[in-house]
Amino acid sequence: TAARIAGMLTTVSEELPDVPLFYTLPDLSATLHSPTPRMREVQAALMNAGYRVSQQHKEPAAVKTDAPPEVLWDVLRCWVRDFGGPPSGKRAAAA
């Protein structure tokens, strides 16, 4: 439909053209054994750190950024520490 085409063109026009690679949040979260953070939370953290960020047009759960990989991992580790870890009872039982 026309609305879907317009949405896709908008997404492509907002995508960072000079950043060739992207990261999928579910894959990154699986590596950390955590739930997947919301896209807007990751984008906000990267933008607040001074980096550019956009979504990838073919993969809705993917983020494109000019942040170094270390920064992206730091953002995700902080999110897991603050929001995404298991409840304290499970954490204590696992120890």
Side-chain angles (χ1 to χ4, degrees), residues 38-48 53-55 63:
R38 293 183 178 166
M39 176 67 73
R40 66 175 174 242
E41 293 172 336
V42 174
Q43 288 175 327
L46 292 169
M47 286 189 287
N48 286 332
V53 63
S54 71
Q55 284 186 269
V63 63

Side-chain angles (χ1 to χ4, degrees), residues 21-60:
L21 303 176
F22 62 91
Y23 303 92
T24 58
L25 294 181
D27 291 341
L28 297 173
S29 297
T31 300
L32 296 173
H33 305 288
S34 75
T36 303
R38 293 183 178 166
M39 176 67 73
R40 66 175 174 242
E41 293 172 336
V42 174
Q43 288 175 327
L46 292 169
M47 286 189 287
N48 286 332
Y51 297 100
R52 297 177 305 140
V53 63
S54 71
Q55 284 186 269
Q56 204 269 345
H57 69 278
K58 284 190 70 166
E59 180 65 49

Side-chain angles (χ1 to χ4, degrees), residues 64-77:
K64 291 180 78 171
T65 182
D66 60 353
E70 299 83 19
V71 172
L72 182 60
W73 283 114
D74 286 345
V75 165
L76 292 171
R77 280 192 294 265

